[in-house]
Amino acid sequence: MSSESQIIRTEYSDVMRKSYIDYAMSVIISRALPDVRDGLKPVQRRTLYDMYELGIRYDKPYRKCARIVGDTMGKYHPHGDSSIYEALVVMAQDFKKGMVLVDGHGNFGSIEGDGAAAMRYTEARLTKFTQEAYLADLDKDIIDFGPNFDETEKEPLVLPVRVPNLLVNGAEGIAVGMATSIPTHNLGEVIDAVKAYMKNDAITTKQLMKYMKGPDFPTGGIVVNKDELLNIYESGQGKIKLRGKVEVEERKGGKKQLVITEIPYTMIGAGIGKFLNDVCSLVETKKTTDIVDISNQSSKEGIRIVLELKKNADIENLKNMLYKKTRLEDTFGVNMLAVANGRPETLGLKAIIEHHVDFQFELTTRKYKTLLAKEEEKKEVQEGLIKACDVIDLIIEILRGSKSVKDARACLTQGITENINFKSSISKKMAALLRFTDRQATAILEMRLYKLIGLEIEALQKEHETTLKNIARYEDILNNYDSMAALIMEELDAYKKEYGRKRRTAIENAQAAVFEENKIEEQEVVLLMDRFGYAKTVDAGVYERNKEAADSENKYVVHCMNTGKICLFTDTGKMHQVKVLDLPYGRFRDKGVPIDNISNYSSSEEQIVMVCDMEQMRFANFLSATKKGMI
C-alpha cells in the first residue's frame, strides 16, 4: 500500500470549519452553559456529586477542599484544578449565590474581591439544602448516568434538582459566540410562580410576575426600571438598571453624611475599590466640593461606605452625581441562555418554568416507578410467607424428605414430588398442588424458625397491609396527574417553608439621575509648553506680568479660552486635540504635565511642529507643506 493512499486530501477551510464548530459545541454544552433542568454547569454538577459520593454531608465533619478538587478531577472533570476550586468557592459565597450550595470553612474570599485561600487551607461540606433539594433519591434510578471521560466511573448527566435552580442561583458563563447571564431570584417567589404555572399552564409572563416580582440579588440594592422587567422576562434578554442603597445620617453640628449600605450586584469585587477612587477623583477635579471625607467601614455585618459632607450640602444633587458619575448605578445585562434538549436556547421566564415542571414530572414518575416495583416485590414475598405459615407442617415434611435444595425448590415451585420421601400419600398429593414463585420459594428456604411465633405472623400480616396501601398510593400518583402535581407542590412548599427568606432587592420605577454640573466661568488663559512637552495654563494677567520669562522658557505660547480646545500638529501629518480644561491651571512656576499624558500624541513616535487654538483655526487659512515640496 502506498503512502499516498494514507493521506486524506481535503479543503483546508472545511477542516477548520468542522474542527471549530466541534470545539465551539464542546465549550457550549459541556463547559460554559448551565442545563435548564438542574441549572448547573458540568463542573458544578460533578463537584456536588463527588462530595455526595465522598459522603461529605451537612451533618458530617468538613473535608479539605484539596481532597474534593483532586477527587473530582481524577474521576469526572479532567480540566485544571483551579477551575474546579473556583466553581466550589463560588457555590460557597453567600454574596454571589441566591442559595449557598456548599458550606465553606475557612477563608472563601470577600465581597470586596479578596480571593479565597489556597485549597489546601480551606474545608467544605454540602449544605442541608443541597442534600435535600439537589441530591436526594439518587439511589432510586431517578436520573440517567453516563460514563466519565475514561469510562471507569459513572457520572450523572443531570442532578435531580427539585427547585428551579437556574432562576434561584442564576448563572454566568462565556461560551464561544454566546454568553449567558441570569440574575438570582428569591426562592419563595420562584416556588410560588412554579405552583401558579402548574395550576394553569396557559398563564402569561405578566401573571407569573405577580408571584415573582423580578431579580433578588444577595447584595440587595434597588432595581429602578420596573416597567422594563416584563419585556426582559418575556424575551429572556435586556438590561436591568441597578442602584446601591444610600441613607442620610445626621451628625453633630448640623452636618450630615451619606452612608451606602447596599451596593449593586455588579459592584462585587474590585468594583468597591474603583467606586472609592471615582469619588476621590470627583473631589480632586472639583466636580463636587461637598464631600469632606470618605471611609469604607464595611465588615462581616455588611457594606457601609461613609461620605462625610460639608454643612448645607445639596444632598439630592450629590446622590444624582454618584449615580451618574460612578458605578453606584449600573446595568446588569440579562441573557437567559441555557442548554435545553441538548442545544443552547434563549429562554423567557415561562419557558424556564415549563422545562423545570416537565423535569419534575419526569423525576417523580421515575422515582415512584422504582418504589412501586420494590413494593410489588415485597408484596410477592409477603404473600408467599403468609401462605407458607398456613401449610408450614407440609413444608417442613418436604424439606426433611429432600436430598437437595434443588429438589425442595422444584417441589415448592412446580409441585414435583418424585425425589422426595413423604410420610403419607396425602402429604404427597398436597405437595403436588404447591405453586410458589421463585422469589417466594427463596424467601421460604431462607426463613428463620422464630418467624413462626404468633406475634411475628401478626407483624407480617400488618406489614403486608402497609405494602398494599403503599402500592395503591404509588399507583394513584403514577396514574393520576392531579395526585402527582399535588405531591410536587407539597415538596416545593416544604422547601419554601424551611429555606425561604425575605426579598433583599427593592423593585421600583425611579427617575433618571439628573446631575447639573457647575457651569465653568469662561475666561482667557495662556497655554505654556516647554521644549520637553510639559504643558500648563495660566491666567492672562499672570502671563503679562512674566511675559519675558515665559517667552524665553517655553517653546509654545498660545492665547486661548479655558472652555476651548488646543490643536497639536505633528511631523507625521497628524493633528491631536486637547481640552484646555484637561491641562493643569495654576501658578507661573508650576511644572505642568507631559502633553503625552492627556492626549493621543506620543513623543517617541512623532514630533510637534505647531500648536494653535481651535478657535483661531476657524478664521485662518491654513497651508501645510512637506519636506519634498508637497503642499
Side-chain angles (χ1 to χ4, degrees):
M1 194 184 233
S2 71
S3 61
E4 187 69 25
S5 60
Q6 298 281 316
I7 297 167
I8 299 165
R9 296 195 171 277
T10 179
E11 184 62 39
Y12 188 65
S13 61
D14 292 345
V15 175
M16 286 298 290
R17 186 182 296 117
K18 186 184 179 305
S19 304
Y20 194 75
I21 287 172
D22 288 351
Y23 162 70
M25 282 311 286
S26 150
V27 171
I28 288 163
I29 303 298
S30 50
R31 198 182 311 177
L33 300 189
D35 191 300
V36 71
R37 295 170 296 175
D38 61 3
L40 297 168
K41 295 184 196 179
V43 63
Q44 296 169 323
R45 186 180 304 123
R46 287 163 171 171
T47 307
L48 291 176
Y49 179 67
D50 186 74
M51 289 172 79
Y52 170 83
E53 281 287 277
L54 289 173
I56 314 173
R57 312 292 160 89
Y58 75 94
D59 49 0
K60 298 275 192 315
Y62 293 94
R63 296 276 279 279
K64 282 277 184 218
C65 290
R67 171 72 206 274
I68 298 164
V69 170
D71 206 62
T72 305
M73 187 163 56
K75 283 187 188 167
Y76 310 115
H77 197 72
H79 299 280
D81 55 0
S82 59
S83 62
I84 301 171
Y85 184 48
E86 275 163 32
L88 179 69
V89 166
V90 169
M91 288 193 286
Q93 291 177 326
D94 57 359
F95 51 86
K96 276 200 183 154
K97 291 284 173 199
M99 294 297 292
V100 175
L101 303 182
V102 171
D103 175 9
H105 184 66
N107 172 12
F108 273 79
S110 77
I111 194 165
E112 294 185 23
D114 307 312
M119 57 186 159
R120 59 182 175 273
Y121 301 121
T122 54
E123 299 178 332
R125 63 183 177 194
L126 292 169
T127 62
K128 188 167 185 243
F129 173 68
T130 313
Q131 219 169 290
E132 289 178 0
Y134 289 60
L135 293 158
D137 301 324
L138 276 169
D139 54 343
K140 297 186 176 70
D141 185 34
I142 193 168
I143 46 156
D144 291 329
F145 282 77
N148 70 337
F149 61 91
D150 61 0
E151 301 195 357
T152 55
E153 302 270 346
K154 289 262 184 277
E155 63 170 321
L157 303 180
V158 63
L159 285 186
V161 176
R162 302 304 172 86
V163 293
N165 179 53
L166 191 65
L167 290 169
V168 173
N169 271 333
E172 53 187 43
I174 299 166
V176 176
M178 54 185 74
T180 184
S181 176
I182 302 172
T184 58
H185 294 84
N186 185 286
L187 178 71
E189 289 181 5
V190 175
I191 284 174
D192 290 341
V194 169
K195 283 164 60 188
Y197 170 79
M198 286 173 75
K199 287 172 187 164
N200 167 25
D201 58 8
I203 196 167
T204 62
T205 306
K206 192 173 182 178
Q207 290 167 322
L208 281 171
M209 286 183 69
K210 282 181 187 163
Y211 302 95
M212 198 201 81
K213 311 270 187 298
D216 183 27
F217 296 104
T219 51
I222 307 160
V223 170
V224 291
N225 57 338
K226 186 180 180 181
D227 289 347
E228 291 171 27
L229 292 181
L230 176 62
N231 190 25
I232 291 172
Y233 282 113
E234 263 178 349
S235 64
Q237 288 177 316
K239 283 180 179 168
I240 292 171
K241 271 195 189 149
L242 271 173
R243 278 183 191 171
K245 195 174 177 188
V246 184
E247 291 170 1
V248 182
E249 288 182 4
E250 299 283 343
R251 293 181 69 228
K252 285 176 190 168
K255 285 184 181 176
K256 291 182 178 173
Q257 60 185 25
L258 286 184
V259 180
I260 294 154
T261 54
E262 291 174 10
I263 56 170
Y265 185 65
T266 47
M267 209 202 268
I268 289 175
I272 295 177
K274 182 159 187 335
F275 170 73
L276 299 173
N277 287 340
D278 288 347
V279 174
C280 291
S281 68
L282 287 174
V283 176
E284 281 166 13
T285 55
K286 299 203 165 40
K287 288 260 166 47
T288 176
T289 52
D290 288 343
I291 298 173
V292 181
D293 189 24
I294 177 168
S295 58
N296 185 3
Q297 301 171 9
S298 306
S299 64
K300 279 186 179 172
E301 274 62 63
I303 293 289
R304 184 179 165 84
I305 298 169
V306 180
L307 308 180
E308 286 180 31
L309 307 182
K310 268 185 188 170
K311 219 173 182 181
N312 306 324
D314 182 350
I315 286 174
E316 275 313 304
N317 197 39
L318 195 58
K319 270 192 197 175
N320 283 339
M321 182 181 74
L322 292 175
Y323 290 144
K324 201 89 180 151
K325 300 281 182 189
T326 72
R327 286 184 67 182
L328 194 61
E329 177 175 302
D330 209 353
T331 51
F332 181 96
V334 175
N335 188 18
M336 303 212 278
L337 189 73
V339 176
N341 305 321
R343 43 181 296 211
E345 213 176 306
T346 303
L347 303 159
L349 173 65
K350 188 178 172 183
I352 291 176
I353 289 177
E354 213 169 300
H355 278 290
H356 171 75
V357 171
D358 290 348
F359 184 51
Q360 294 315 302
F361 275 99
E362 187 194 321
L363 291 179
T364 311
T365 304
R366 286 181 69 161
K367 175 181 172 178
Y368 283 97
K369 274 186 178 168
T370 306
L371 289 175
L372 181 64
K374 277 186 183 164
E375 292 295 316
E376 300 269 15
E377 215 173 280
K378 258 196 215 169
K379 175 188 163 203
E380 187 185 318
V381 169
Q382 287 162 352
E383 283 175 350
L385 291 176
I386 289 167
K387 204 160 82 179
C389 288
D390 294 342
V391 290
I392 194 69
D393 296 336
L394 175 64
I395 288 171
I396 290 168
E397 198 174 322
I398 293 167
L399 297 180
R400 291 184 72 175
S402 301
K403 289 187 178 70
S404 70
V405 175
K406 191 182 168 189
D407 293 342
R409 184 183 285 277
C411 182
L412 290 173
T413 55
Q414 293 158 33
I416 299 168
T417 54
E418 273 72 72
N419 303 328
I420 298 170
N421 296 323
F422 287 94
K423 287 177 184 171
S424 66
S425 58
I426 296 171
S427 297
K428 191 171 184 176
K429 274 181 190 164
M430 283 173 72
L433 300 172
L434 293 178
R435 290 293 182 276
F436 287 106
T437 65
D438 279 339
R439 202 171 271 141
Q440 289 171 339
T442 304
I444 292 166
L445 292 170
E446 288 171 357
M447 188 169 78
R448 305 271 179 94
L449 285 174
Y450 77 84
K451 287 282 184 192
L452 300 173
I453 299 167
L455 285 174
E456 286 293 325
I457 294 170
E458 252 176 62
L460 180 66
Q461 280 165 337
K462 268 189 187 152
E463 212 178 288
H464 183 54
E465 279 166 29
T466 310
T467 303
L468 292 176
K469 272 184 198 160
N470 284 344
I471 289 173
R473 182 167 160 259
Y474 296 163
E475 281 177 340
D476 174 52
I477 290 167
L478 287 168
N479 301 327
N480 190 337
Y481 174 89
D482 290 339
S483 302
M484 192 179 283
L487 182 83
I488 292 170
M489 286 193 225
E490 207 177 291
E491 277 183 8
L492 286 172
D493 279 334
Y495 293 129
K496 181 183 167 181
K497 191 180 173 191
E498 187 165 353
Y499 302 107
R501 54 161 179 73
K502 273 188 178 165
R503 160 174 279 283
R504 293 173 187 173
T505 303
I507 293 180
E508 55 186 56
N509 282 315
Q511 297 280 308
V514 178
F515 163 61
E516 288 176 15
E517 290 193 43
N518 300 334
K519 285 275 184 286
I520 289 156
E521 215 176 294
E522 197 170 47
Q523 67 180 78
E524 191 187 333
V525 293
V526 179
L527 162 83
L528 303 175
M529 187 163 108
D530 66 15
R531 61 199 175 92
F532 300 111
Y534 279 81
K536 61 178 180 280
T537 57
V538 295
D539 188 68
V542 172
Y543 168 70
E544 290 303 332
R545 287 197 295 278
N546 301 281
K547 191 171 189 317
E548 221 170 283
D551 290 350
S552 65
E553 288 170 18
N554 292 291
K555 194 173 177 184
Y556 298 104
V557 177
V558 180
H559 288 261
C560 52
M561 301 305 289
N562 62 348
T563 52
K565 287 180 182 170
I566 293 290
C567 301
L568 311 175
F569 290 90
T570 72
D571 60 353
T572 56
K574 287 181 185 168
M575 181 190 85
H576 301 291
Q577 285 185 4
V578 182
K579 278 186 183 173
V580 178
L581 281 172
D582 289 345
L583 290 158
Y585 171 77
R587 298 194 300 271
F588 178 68
R589 284 287 159 215
D590 287 350
K591 194 177 181 187
V593 297
I595 200 79
D596 303 44
N597 292 4
I598 46 175
S599 70
N600 290 332
Y601 163 73
S602 166
S603 56
S604 61
E605 294 167 16
E606 48 192 345
Q607 296 299 316
I608 293 173
V609 292
M610 189 180 123
V611 178
C612 69
D613 179 23
M614 185 99 166
E615 282 301 307
Q616 292 166 358
M617 275 186 59
R618 285 190 188 166
F619 308 110
N621 292 324
F622 188 69
L623 174 74
S624 78
T626 69
K627 237 187 232 176
K628 294 186 177 171
M630 303 295 282
I631 67 168

